[in-house]
Amino acid sequence: MRLVTLVLLLLAFPAASPAQRLAPSPTEPPASALVGRERIRLDDGWRFALGHASDFARDFNHGTSYFSYLAKTGYGDGPASPSFDDRTWRDVRIPHDWGVELPFDPRGQASHGYKPLGRGFPETSLGWYRRTFHIPESDLGRRIRIEFDGVYRAARVFVNGFFVGEEPSGYLPVSYDVSEYLNYGGDNLVAVRVDATMPEGWYYEGAGIYRHAWLSKTSPLHVRRHGTWVRSEPNEDHSLAELRIQNTVTNAGRTPAAFTVGLAVFGPGAVPGRDAPLVELATTPSEPIAPGAERIEETSLTLRDPRLWDVVSPELYTLVTTILMGDREVDRTETRFGIRSIRFDPDRGFFLNGRHVLLKGTNNHQDHAGVGVAVPDALQEFRLRRLMEMGANTYRTAHHPPTPELLEACDRLGILVVNENRLMGVNDYHLGQLERLILRDRNHPSVILWSIGNEEWAIEGNIKGARITVPMQDFVHRIDPTRPVSAAISGGWGGISREIEVPGVNYVRQADVDRQHREFPWQAIVGTEETTTQGTRGIYFDDRERAHLSPQEDGSSGGNAESGLRFYAERPFAAGVIYWTGFDYRGEPTPFGWPAIGTQFGILDTCGFPKDGFHYLRAWWTDEPVLHVFPHWNWPGREGTPIEVRVHSNHDEVELLHNGTSLGRQSVRRLHHLKWTVPYAPGRLEARGFRDGRQVATTIVETTGEPTAVALVPDRTTIAADGRDVAVFTVEARDAAGRLVPTAALRVAFAVSGPGRVIGVGNGDPSCHEPDVFFASVRGEKLGTWQAPDASIREGALSFEATFDRPTLTDGEHVTLLLAALGPAQTVTLNDTVLHHHAAPAALRAPVSLDLAALRPTGNTIRIEAPARYTDWGARETLFQIHPAVLRFSRPAPQWTRSTFNGLAQVIVQSTGEPGTITLHATSPDASAAESSITAR
């Protein structure tokens, strides 16, 4: 047994190369370790494959080795092993959501959008990601971390076969120090096993590495991750602002380290390194910090005439923190922050910088048409700008921590954020997640409330809810005493609501808001969820069979957007109202089941196309003139049928005309709509808006012809040529007169030329089962059988031989031959053709394209011969996992297609990284083609 164990150990542990060996312990870190901080994005170069949540064999035999990764360090097996062969896996970029790629399945959970994810679908609920990255030898001595902004969910991470950690949450960032596991001067492997079997929420949550990943490098002495906090306190007349700055410095080295902290504050619009700072100072040299210790360095400074962060002028400053050892800069961080004051008044609502601001908000999940939860950064801003057009100034991150990029966009745009925790509780699991959320996000001036929970029905109305609330609220205050704490309550009043500072009201039909204000006068109140005018975009008569819903006067949670807005407008003590929801989202198809796969609560649909309620809120949430008429006027077969025509407007009066005949002029009541009953006849509706008795606006709705053309309208004409930026194209079905046809269902195909790629399509139909994503497929076929040579072989010859028939390919399929190395110099022959002669292993990495016409119908022979000479035992390990010869079959992605829904669809086009002109082409069998171009710079 001892001999067997020794052989296994020799095989598993390669001899260290010079670059991998541990250098003698220095008294100080090597100079190479004292270079500045680097943060490298790891979005490209991943390979992906579905594993299996219950079948070990179909999960690539992960966790089946004699020693598991939990039994012995460094024994990651299956895809966790560096020697695993992933050449037949798909190439993907992250952010990536494999859930959105799956077909809809009526057996799936309605709440998760009928995707085959969860316990009933082990074959599609677990996925693997692998990526290699190079670490130069000069990085030896630095601290190097792998970081993930979010992986859904239960992400098990391995680096070079070493298990480095597992994160159960699908919403929180995680960081692993991998410095000791790396090959310095060589390639390294990170493998991530993602298990989406167990959901966290009750809505579509996706699956995969759906946020960014990073490689972070620092010197041993550095500012801890999320270790900088800037608190700003402007004085009453805003002539001064005191900044209280904390930097948590950690010494991950092996010797005590003396250091100095340098601080520089740059004003709005200034660029560190190019412009001069407003304030620059260095603290006095500190006492040495012990190895493994942390210390909080605090500094206060005063800024004169600060430019405040506000919803109307979101001014952002930048703090640059440097850590110096003597005269040498060993770390440098940049922290964006805003200077502002917030206050929730129990009787008068919310105040920003001393000015009353009404919270006008929406709740939102994080998915979008076409891309699921893998939302590109630019698409985050696109969504926020759509909400701002409606007049919204507040965003509640329902019901989980948001992406960092969402908060950065809210900071830039001036949007207030209710930042929400996922799950209430008082144990390390709960408080640890809450702490990570706050430490990550407390520098964002947009964040005005920490929400510790949402609709916790088991506890919200009883003493346990009150007991849990108190320590959670105290815990938040210890980390961040500058913001109040909220929790959203739905029906269960008398528990959490007795203790929380700012109770959130989820639906006025389920609360007695006046009683709460009367009995707890010290509390501020905000409407955290209120019913919208629930319905399907462009639908005005219920179609239950297709799960299409007309605008609801009494939505699923009671009422509609108008009744909710009027309720809160009558209560000045309330800080404002946040509607459920801004955008439609996948899952929760209330009040339907299959075939509906998405909700209809949104003020906008999943693409961001407005419903009529959007214009109601725009009328009362903005100062822009609004005159919106609905429904459309295409009703063949309903001639003579009375149709209710409504108008959302903020003018004094509105007159409606039908085919030139006036139907009367009505006064506009604040926070209400207007309506006329009109017997349907094709033609023209015309609304005229009046102010001070004078006509100032006209809106026309006409009966259109049949769709004859496709039009493409990008949201912007220029994007960054960075491989990440996106443009959002609206696809319109138009008639011969160029008018949008509001009932058109055109099948449209798309292609891109130039440095761009389509990454998702949608149309906002909550019952559409067309694919959102079209992707290339790949599969592998091993040639012959492979028996690894006996462990005792030192010298001699190794050989592999296999016969195979000429592959039969389906339309569009391509096949390549993938070879593996048996030894340091090898010869490969295919039939009578020499493919490689005495080749080094690296030469075999390139795929070999096969000329199928030159192959025999049957009996083709591939042979590999090599001497069995190895520089170390580790080089032999590949023989146990990589098959010598594999056929890789690949099929390109099908052509992108989508049908318009009520005349509209959407295409998301992303830069590939090169500058140039990107052109989107659209064709339809029933309409003329179109194209539209943007520029990548």
Side-chain angles (χ1 to χ4, degrees), residues 423-425 452-469 472 489 492-497:
L423 189 67
M424 290 188 71
I452 58 173
N454 172 75
E455 295 185 355
E456 292 285 358
W457 290 321
I459 62 171
E460 67 179 18
N462 56 43
I463 188 60
K464 290 178 182 174
R467 290 171 180 165
I468 291 170
T469 298
M472 287 192 77
I489 302 159
W493 295 82
I496 294 172
S497 62

Side-chain angles (χ1 to χ4, degrees), residues 111-150:
S111 63
H112 286 74
Y114 289 107
K115 288 291 187 175
L117 293 167
R119 297 198 182 279
F121 304 94
E123 69 281 2
T124 50
S125 297
L126 190 142
W128 281 92
Y129 294 84
R130 286 167 52 92
R131 188 194 195 278
T132 60
F133 58 95
H134 183 79
I135 295 293
E137 189 170 349
S138 58
D139 277 348
L140 184 62
R142 302 175 81 181
R143 304 313 300 175
I144 300 177
R145 306 185 75 90
I146 292 284
E147 300 178 350
F148 296 93
D149 286 341

Side-chain angles (χ1 to χ4, degrees), residues 618-873:
R618 191 165 65 92
W620 304 114
W621 276 0
T622 77
D623 296 326
E624 297 294 320
V626 174
L627 185 61
H628 176 72
V629 181
F630 63 102
H632 60 74
W633 211 235
N634 285 22
W635 300 106
R638 292 182 182 265
E639 285 76 9
T641 301
I643 303 288
E644 185 175 273
V645 176
R646 294 192 176 193
V647 172
H648 289 319
S649 180
N650 51 16
H651 295 295
D652 298 338
E653 296 177 297
V654 174
E655 181 182 19
L656 185 69
L657 296 88
H658 178 219
N659 291 335
T661 301
S662 176
L663 302 179
R665 189 160 151 177
Q666 299 184 30
S667 296
V668 178
R669 294 167 54 199
R670 176 171 168 74
L671 306 184
H672 288 73
H673 68 270
L674 303 177
K675 62 182 179 180
W676 289 259
T677 299
V678 184
Y680 176 67
R684 172 187 176 109
L685 294 173
E686 179 182 346
R688 297 172 178 174
F690 295 84
R691 290 193 174 180
D692 298 323
R694 184 170 57 90
Q695 182 179 337
V696 294
T698 301
T699 296
I700 294 171
V701 175
E702 294 181 300
T703 305
T704 70
E706 293 299 312
T708 60
V710 177
L712 300 172
V713 183
D715 72 310
R716 52 200 176 119
T717 58
T718 302
I719 64 174
D722 60 1
R724 301 187 302 277
D725 205 0
V726 299
V728 182
F729 285 80
T730 296
V731 184
E732 296 184 354
R734 296 181 179 177
D735 68 4
R739 299 170 298 190
L740 175 69
V741 181
T743 56
L746 281 181
R747 184 74 170 176
V748 187
F750 306 99
V752 172
S753 59
R757 56 179 164 244
V758 178
I759 62 170
V761 291
N763 61 15
D765 182 353
S767 302
C768 182
H769 296 173
E770 297 176 29
D772 291 80
V773 181
F774 295 83
F775 54 93
S777 60
V778 62
R779 62 185 177 90
E781 180 181 312
K782 296 178 180 179
L783 299 182
T785 58
W786 172 237
Q787 179 67 43
D790 186 84
S792 64
I793 292 180
R794 297 292 192 275
E795 299 291 339
L798 295 176
S799 65
F800 168 83
E801 184 174 296
T803 59
F804 63 100
D805 297 338
R806 181 167 57 204
T808 300
L809 305 182
T810 58
D811 289 343
E813 201 169 36
H814 179 66
V815 63
T816 54
L817 174 64
L818 306 178
L819 300 170
L822 302 188
Q826 52 206 334
T827 298
V828 182
T829 58
L830 174 57
N831 294 333
D832 300 323
T833 302
V834 177
L835 302 180
H836 294 280
H837 182 67
H838 294 301
L844 271 70
R845 293 176 183 169
V848 179
S849 293
L850 293 179
D851 181 1
L852 296 187
L855 293 179
R856 304 164 186 160
T858 60
N860 298 281
T861 302
I862 181 79
R863 183 173 178 81
I864 306 174
E865 297 176 302
R869 294 194 299 273
Y870 298 93
T871 56
D872 58 71
W873 280 100

Side-chain angles (χ1 to χ4, degrees), residues 150-316:
V151 183
Y152 194 86
R153 92 174 266 284
R156 190 181 298 170
V157 180
F158 299 83
V159 171
N160 292 336
F162 291 87
F163 173 59
V164 299
E166 185 168 3
E167 172 55 52
S169 171
Y171 298 106
L172 282 167
V174 66
S175 176
Y176 299 110
D177 190 327
V178 298
S179 308
E180 278 67 43
Y181 308 133
L182 297 176
N183 302 319
Y184 292 89
D187 289 336
N188 298 267
L189 172 94
V190 56
V192 186
R193 184 181 187 267
V194 185
D195 190 345
T197 303
M198 178 70 178
E200 284 185 72
W202 53 97
Y203 38 84
Y204 179 79
E205 300 177 279
I209 308 179
Y210 72 100
R211 297 181 182 176
H212 296 300
W214 307 85
L215 187 67
S216 175
K217 305 178 182 181
T218 64
S219 71
L221 186 72
H222 59 274
V223 176
R224 192 185 70 182
R225 185 168 182 258
H226 305 146
T228 299
W229 186 25
V230 183
R231 294 171 59 178
S232 64
E233 297 179 11
N235 65 358
E236 189 171 349
D237 65 2
H238 302 154
S239 60
L240 299 172
E242 182 184 4
L243 303 184
R244 298 169 61 186
I245 300 168
Q246 289 185 358
N247 279 291
T248 302
V249 181
T250 184
N251 180 9
R254 303 180 66 197
T255 58
F259 61 94
T260 300
V261 179
L263 302 173
V265 177
F266 293 83
V271 178
R274 185 191 70 185
D275 302 310
L278 297 175
V279 178
E280 186 170 19
L281 58 88
T283 62
T284 56
S286 68
E287 292 294 319
I289 184 170
E294 286 187 344
R295 179 185 302 153
I296 297 177
E297 299 287 328
E298 297 194 33
T299 306
S300 296
L301 58 88
T302 301
L303 290 181
R304 295 186 177 276
D305 299 318
R307 293 162 62 179
L308 301 185
W309 186 93
D310 199 281
V311 292
V312 294
S313 57
E315 305 283 7
L316 291 171

Side-chain angles (χ1 to χ4, degrees), residues 378-394:
L379 191 57
Q380 301 273 17
E381 185 160 328
F382 169 86
R383 287 164 58 87
L384 291 171
R385 288 189 181 277
R386 296 299 278 160
L387 297 171
M388 293 176 70
E389 289 174 24
M390 182 179 67
N393 63 12
T394 305

Side-chain angles (χ1 to χ4, degrees), residues 76-130:
D77 60 356
S81 170
S83 59
F84 179 83
D85 188 358
D86 63 11
R87 293 174 297 171
T88 58
W89 287 16
R90 276 177 55 201
D91 295 321
V92 299
R93 303 176 73 256
I94 63 169
H96 174 246
D97 175 8
W98 87 70
V100 78
E101 300 172 348
L102 299 173
F104 297 101
D105 191 319
R107 298 171 300 158
Q109 293 183 2
S111 63
H112 286 74
Y114 289 107
K115 288 291 187 175
L117 293 167
R119 297 198 182 279
F121 304 94
E123 69 281 2
T124 50
S125 297
L126 190 142
W128 281 92
Y129 294 84
R130 286 167 52 92

